[in-house]
Amino acid sequence: MLTRTVIAATLVAAGIAATPAPAYAASAAQSPESICGPGFHRVADGHRSMKTRAGAVFGHVYLMFNKRGGKNCVAAIKTAYRGTRTVTGAALNIRGGAKSVDVREYRYYAETGHLTGAWKCVKYAGWTKDPRGRVEAWGGRASWGNCAG
């Protein structure tokens, strides 16, 4: 018993508290790479802040690409109202191909899923709202881009 107490006191003094697995999983899942999955990487011109009309940043949207699979993914990650269910969405449009939209009340992020799009231009977007649904923050690219890859 004394050994466990000494170890716990040492960890607390060092600033290393034991974190439950669910809390770690929630924080680890907040990168666009972990949201979209293995092999996905951020692409050039593939990041936008989700901003309100007044310029407040509520989060970030990322266009991701998996070169090996030739697939695209969009992750819209909230920074405002994290942990609170608010309308949050992500959209991906492949020129001449598929479109994916994910919009619901999420606590942390929305994700489009994986769409084939190697060597095709894409548009992407992410958005979220305040808890009352009155203020929306939007980010993305409304023009075609990221056509080579």
Side-chain angles (χ1 to χ4, degrees):
M1 178 71 170
L2 179 61
T3 304
R4 279 190 262 167
T5 304
V6 171
I7 291 172
T10 304
L11 291 173
V12 169
I16 306 170
T19 304
Y24 173 76
S27 64
Q30 299 310 299
S31 75
E33 291 85 0
S34 63
I35 292 168
C36 288
F40 279 89
H41 302 283
R42 299 175 197 202
V43 300
D45 195 32
H47 169 254
R48 299 284 192 280
S49 296
M50 295 188 294
K51 295 182 182 181
T52 66
R53 288 183 186 214
V57 175
F58 279 17
H60 300 273
V61 59
Y62 299 89
L63 172 65
M64 308 292 287
F65 186 68
N66 181 319
K67 190 172 185 173
R68 184 175 183 161
K71 298 201 181 271
N72 293 280
C73 172
V74 172
I77 305 171
K78 296 169 36 170
T79 56
Y81 309 109
R82 288 176 51 76
T84 302
R85 291 192 181 278
T86 64
V87 173
T88 305
L92 174 61
N93 191 356
I94 308 292
R95 183 185 246 170
K99 182 176 183 178
S100 178
V101 178
D102 174 29
V103 59
R104 290 192 331 196
E105 288 189 352
Y106 286 112
R107 293 173 53 196
Y108 299 101
Y109 63 86
E111 182 252 336
T112 60
H114 306 160
L115 295 180
T116 300
W119 301 102
K120 294 184 179 181
C121 302
V122 299
K123 295 179 186 179
Y124 68 98
W127 61 94
T128 189
K129 294 185 177 185
D130 72 327
R132 292 184 177 184
R134 295 182 182 165
V135 180
E136 181 176 74
W138 184 92
R141 189 180 56 233
S143 60
W144 297 109
N146 295 89
C147 303

